Amino acid sequence: MMGVPVARTRLLLFVLMGLMSAVVGVFVSLEMSSWWPNQGQGYMLLVFASVFIGGTSVLGGRGTLLGTFFGACIIGILEAGIISAGLAGFWTRLVYGIIIIASLMIHSILLKQHKGAWKRLIH
């Protein structure tokens, strides 16, 4: 309706994300100088923590690229701090899990407050 070709834009975004993923995969493989099928296995919890800190809802809705970027920066800073403190890998995963749970709790509290305010405006 606004003159934006939605189908073409969606296709271009998927192609762009695929190309960026391929480039990152090549860089990660070059960094390790070999490739293993379970090479990126430990990154999923890291990605979830970054996205949830950035403000994206688990229940759907909207998230921003800038929020996810800042969430990734915060997670990177925390990871560097944990590693420089000399703690084992268990502690980094524990911290990521705590961050995910805390961000989900905060988001649900804010969502309940927002829905309550919306109901008061309607009635």
PDB file of all heavy atoms in Angstrom, residues 1 9-10 21 32 42 47 52-53 58 68 70 80 82 86-87 94 97:
ATOM      1  N   MET A   1       0.815  -1.196   0.000  1.00  0.00           N
ATOM      2  CA  MET A   1       0.000   0.000   0.000  1.00  0.00           C
ATOM      3  C   MET A   1       0.859   1.260   0.000  1.00  0.00           C
ATOM      4  O   MET A   1       0.410   2.290  -0.451  1.00  0.00           O
ATOM      5  CB  MET A   1      -0.912   0.013   1.218  1.00  0.00           C
ATOM      6  CG  MET A   1      -1.950  -1.084   1.206  1.00  0.00           C
ATOM      7  SD  MET A   1      -2.964  -0.937   2.659  1.00  0.00           S
ATOM      8  CE  MET A   1      -4.541  -1.012   1.893  1.00  0.00           C
ATOM      9  N   THR A   9      11.440  -7.254  -1.353  1.00  0.00           N
ATOM     10  CA  THR A   9      12.218  -6.864  -0.176  1.00  0.00           C
ATOM     11  C   THR A   9      12.455  -8.063   0.726  1.00  0.00           C
ATOM     12  O   THR A   9      13.565  -8.265   1.228  1.00  0.00           O
ATOM     13  CB  THR A   9      11.500  -5.751   0.595  1.00  0.00           C
ATOM     14  OG1 THR A   9      11.247  -4.661  -0.286  1.00  0.00           O
ATOM     15  CG2 THR A   9      12.324  -5.278   1.763  1.00  0.00           C
ATOM     16  N   ARG A  10      11.439  -8.882   0.937  1.00  0.00           N
ATOM     17  CA  ARG A  10      11.576 -10.076   1.774  1.00  0.00           C
ATOM     18  C   ARG A  10      12.597 -11.041   1.164  1.00  0.00           C
ATOM     19  O   ARG A  10      13.448 -11.576   1.868  1.00  0.00           O
ATOM     20  CB  ARG A  10      10.227 -10.760   1.926  1.00  0.00           C
ATOM     21  CG  ARG A  10      10.279 -11.946   2.865  1.00  0.00           C
ATOM     22  CD  ARG A  10       8.937 -12.612   3.006  1.00  0.00           C
ATOM     23  NE  ARG A  10       7.993 -11.678   3.608  1.00  0.00           N
ATOM     24  CZ  ARG A  10       6.689 -11.797   3.550  1.00  0.00           C
ATOM     25  NH1 ARG A  10       6.146 -12.810   2.904  1.00  0.00           N
ATOM     26  NH2 ARG A  10       5.918 -10.930   4.137  1.00  0.00           N
ATOM     27  N   SER A  21      25.446 -15.145   6.704  1.00  0.00           N
ATOM     28  CA  SER A  21      25.672 -16.370   7.472  1.00  0.00           C
ATOM     29  C   SER A  21      26.784 -17.208   6.853  1.00  0.00           C
ATOM     30  O   SER A  21      27.605 -17.790   7.564  1.00  0.00           O
ATOM     31  CB  SER A  21      24.392 -17.192   7.552  1.00  0.00           C
ATOM     32  OG  SER A  21      23.383 -16.486   8.195  1.00  0.00           O
ATOM     33  N   MET A  32      39.250 -21.579  13.214  1.00  0.00           N
ATOM     34  CA  MET A  32      39.558 -22.854  13.854  1.00  0.00           C
ATOM     35  C   MET A  32      40.497 -23.704  12.991  1.00  0.00           C
ATOM     36  O   MET A  32      40.975 -24.723  13.448  1.00  0.00           O
ATOM     37  CB  MET A  32      38.275 -23.631  14.118  1.00  0.00           C
ATOM     38  CG  MET A  32      37.295 -22.864  14.980  1.00  0.00           C
ATOM     39  SD  MET A  32      37.961 -22.418  16.534  1.00  0.00           S
ATOM     40  CE  MET A  32      37.170 -23.612  17.560  1.00  0.00           C
ATOM     41  N   GLY A  42      28.020 -24.350  20.994  1.00  0.00           N
ATOM     42  CA  GLY A  42      27.953 -23.559  22.214  1.00  0.00           C
ATOM     43  C   GLY A  42      27.427 -22.153  22.041  1.00  0.00           C
ATOM     44  O   GLY A  42      27.302 -21.418  23.012  1.00  0.00           O
ATOM     45  N   VAL A  47      23.494 -16.608  21.902  1.00  0.00           N
ATOM     46  CA  VAL A  47      22.624 -15.842  21.006  1.00  0.00           C
ATOM     47  C   VAL A  47      21.290 -15.544  21.674  1.00  0.00           C
ATOM     48  O   VAL A  47      20.784 -14.419  21.610  1.00  0.00           O
ATOM     49  CB  VAL A  47      22.415 -16.606  19.678  1.00  0.00           C
ATOM     50  CG1 VAL A  47      21.314 -15.976  18.848  1.00  0.00           C
ATOM     51  CG2 VAL A  47      23.707 -16.646  18.896  1.00  0.00           C
ATOM     52  N   PHE A  52      17.504 -11.717  24.046  1.00  0.00           N
ATOM     53  CA  PHE A  52      16.567 -11.400  25.116  1.00  0.00           C
ATOM     54  C   PHE A  52      16.981 -10.153  25.882  1.00  0.00           C
ATOM     55  O   PHE A  52      16.138  -9.367  26.301  1.00  0.00           O
ATOM     56  CB  PHE A  52      16.414 -12.582  26.067  1.00  0.00           C
ATOM     57  CG  PHE A  52      15.749 -13.768  25.433  1.00  0.00           C
ATOM     58  CD1 PHE A  52      16.028 -15.039  25.869  1.00  0.00           C
ATOM     59  CD2 PHE A  52      14.855 -13.612  24.403  1.00  0.00           C
ATOM     60  CE1 PHE A  52      15.418 -16.141  25.294  1.00  0.00           C
ATOM     61  CE2 PHE A  52      14.238 -14.704  23.812  1.00  0.00           C
ATOM     62  CZ  PHE A  52      14.523 -15.968  24.263  1.00  0.00           C
ATOM     63  N   ILE A  53      18.273  -9.952  26.075  1.00  0.00           N
ATOM     64  CA  ILE A  53      18.728  -8.719  26.711  1.00  0.00           C
ATOM     65  C   ILE A  53      18.402  -7.523  25.820  1.00  0.00           C
ATOM     66  O   ILE A  53      18.065  -6.446  26.304  1.00  0.00           O
ATOM     67  CB  ILE A  53      20.236  -8.765  27.010  1.00  0.00           C
ATOM     68  CG1 ILE A  53      20.496  -9.657  28.194  1.00  0.00           C
ATOM     69  CG2 ILE A  53      20.793  -7.380  27.303  1.00  0.00           C
ATOM     70  CD1 ILE A  53      21.943  -9.781  28.535  1.00  0.00           C
ATOM     71  N   VAL A  58       9.931 -13.347  23.863  1.00  0.00           N
ATOM     72  CA  VAL A  58       9.836 -14.766  23.561  1.00  0.00           C
ATOM     73  C   VAL A  58       8.475 -15.079  22.965  1.00  0.00           C
ATOM     74  O   VAL A  58       8.320 -15.985  22.161  1.00  0.00           O
ATOM     75  CB  VAL A  58      10.020 -15.593  24.856  1.00  0.00           C
ATOM     76  CG1 VAL A  58       9.881 -17.058  24.592  1.00  0.00           C
ATOM     77  CG2 VAL A  58      11.354 -15.301  25.468  1.00  0.00           C
ATOM     78  N   THR A  68      19.355  -5.697  19.961  1.00  0.00           N
ATOM     79  CA  THR A  68      20.094  -6.957  19.894  1.00  0.00           C
ATOM     80  C   THR A  68      21.594  -6.695  19.841  1.00  0.00           C
ATOM     81  O   THR A  68      22.372  -7.431  20.450  1.00  0.00           O
ATOM     82  CB  THR A  68      19.636  -7.767  18.675  1.00  0.00           C
ATOM     83  OG1 THR A  68      18.230  -7.981  18.769  1.00  0.00           O
ATOM     84  CG2 THR A  68      20.337  -9.104  18.607  1.00  0.00           C
ATOM     85  N   PHE A  70      23.195  -4.120  21.198  1.00  0.00           N
ATOM     86  CA  PHE A  70      23.618  -3.762  22.552  1.00  0.00           C
ATOM     87  C   PHE A  70      23.587  -4.972  23.475  1.00  0.00           C
ATOM     88  O   PHE A  70      24.437  -5.115  24.357  1.00  0.00           O
ATOM     89  CB  PHE A  70      22.762  -2.629  23.114  1.00  0.00           C
ATOM     90  CG  PHE A  70      23.106  -1.283  22.542  1.00  0.00           C
ATOM     91  CD1 PHE A  70      22.116  -0.474  22.028  1.00  0.00           C
ATOM     92  CD2 PHE A  70      24.413  -0.839  22.505  1.00  0.00           C
ATOM     93  CE1 PHE A  70      22.422   0.761  21.486  1.00  0.00           C
ATOM     94  CE2 PHE A  70      24.733   0.387  21.970  1.00  0.00           C
ATOM     95  CZ  PHE A  70      23.734   1.193  21.457  1.00  0.00           C
ATOM     96  N   ALA A  80      33.874 -11.726  28.587  1.00  0.00           N
ATOM     97  CA  ALA A  80      35.278 -11.346  28.779  1.00  0.00           C
ATOM     98  C   ALA A  80      35.618 -11.225  30.257  1.00  0.00           C
ATOM     99  O   ALA A  80      36.702 -11.632  30.690  1.00  0.00           O
ATOM    100  CB  ALA A  80      35.557 -10.023  28.059  1.00  0.00           C
ATOM    101  N   ILE A  82      34.123 -12.851  32.762  1.00  0.00           N
ATOM    102  CA  ILE A  82      34.137 -14.187  33.367  1.00  0.00           C
ATOM    103  C   ILE A  82      35.413 -14.928  32.999  1.00  0.00           C
ATOM    104  O   ILE A  82      36.037 -15.574  33.846  1.00  0.00           O
ATOM    105  CB  ILE A  82      32.888 -14.978  32.921  1.00  0.00           C
ATOM    106  CG1 ILE A  82      31.637 -14.371  33.549  1.00  0.00           C
ATOM    107  CG2 ILE A  82      32.996 -16.445  33.297  1.00  0.00           C
ATOM    108  CD1 ILE A  82      30.351 -14.924  32.981  1.00  0.00           C
ATOM    109  N   GLY A  86      39.028 -16.061  35.327  1.00  0.00           N
ATOM    110  CA  GLY A  86      39.582 -17.407  35.410  1.00  0.00           C
ATOM    111  C   GLY A  86      38.559 -18.480  35.736  1.00  0.00           C
ATOM    112  O   GLY A  86      38.924 -19.573  36.158  1.00  0.00           O
ATOM    113  N   LEU A  87      37.270 -18.190  35.519  1.00  0.00           N
ATOM    114  CA  LEU A  87      36.234 -19.173  35.808  1.00  0.00           C
ATOM    115  C   LEU A  87      36.078 -20.144  34.643  1.00  0.00           C
ATOM    116  O   LEU A  87      36.377 -19.818  33.496  1.00  0.00           O
ATOM    117  CB  LEU A  87      34.912 -18.472  36.095  1.00  0.00           C
ATOM    118  CG  LEU A  87      34.912 -17.554  37.315  1.00  0.00           C
ATOM    119  CD1 LEU A  87      33.590 -16.830  37.411  1.00  0.00           C
ATOM    120  CD2 LEU A  87      35.192 -18.330  38.579  1.00  0.00           C
ATOM    121  N   LEU A  94      26.144 -20.762  33.120  1.00  0.00           N
ATOM    122  CA  LEU A  94      25.271 -20.446  34.246  1.00  0.00           C
ATOM    123  C   LEU A  94      24.865 -18.975  34.207  1.00  0.00           C
ATOM    124  O   LEU A  94      23.690 -18.635  34.391  1.00  0.00           O
ATOM    125  CB  LEU A  94      25.950 -20.778  35.567  1.00  0.00           C
ATOM    126  CG  LEU A  94      25.138 -20.464  36.824  1.00  0.00           C
ATOM    127  CD1 LEU A  94      23.970 -21.435  36.934  1.00  0.00           C
ATOM    128  CD2 LEU A  94      26.012 -20.524  38.049  1.00  0.00           C
ATOM    129  N   GLY A  97      22.352 -18.447  31.438  1.00  0.00           N
ATOM    130  CA  GLY A  97      21.040 -18.935  31.851  1.00  0.00           C
ATOM    131  C   GLY A  97      20.356 -17.987  32.815  1.00  0.00           C
ATOM    132  O   GLY A  97      19.150 -17.719  32.695  1.00  0.00           O
TER     133      GLY A  97
END
